[in-house]
mmCIF file of all heavy atoms in Angstrom:
data_model
loop_
_atom_site.group_PDB
_atom_site.id
_atom_site.type_symbol
_atom_site.label_atom_id
_atom_site.label_comp_id
_atom_site.label_asym_id
_atom_site.label_seq_id
_atom_site.Cartn_x
_atom_site.Cartn_y
_atom_site.Cartn_z
ATOM 1 N N SER Q 125 -34.303 22.772 4.971
ATOM 2 C CA SER Q 125 -34.695 23.801 5.940
ATOM 3 C C SER Q 125 -36.130 24.260 5.720
ATOM 4 O O SER Q 125 -36.585 24.387 4.570
ATOM 5 C CB SER Q 125 -33.754 25.003 5.847
ATOM 6 O OG SER Q 125 -34.227 26.068 6.647
ATOM 7 N N GLY Q 270 -27.722 28.123 4.497
ATOM 8 C CA GLY Q 270 -27.814 28.998 5.656
ATOM 9 C C GLY Q 270 -28.734 30.167 5.382
ATOM 10 O O GLY Q 270 -29.340 30.260 4.302
ATOM 11 N N THR Q 274 -25.942 33.407 8.810
ATOM 12 C CA THR Q 274 -24.848 32.573 8.315
ATOM 13 C C THR Q 274 -24.004 33.319 7.289
ATOM 14 O O THR Q 274 -22.771 33.350 7.378
ATOM 15 C CB THR Q 274 -25.382 31.278 7.679
ATOM 16 O OG1 THR Q 274 -26.479 30.786 8.433
ATOM 17 C CG2 THR Q 274 -24.295 30.222 7.615
#
Side-chain angles (χ1 to χ4, degrees):
S125 172
T274 321

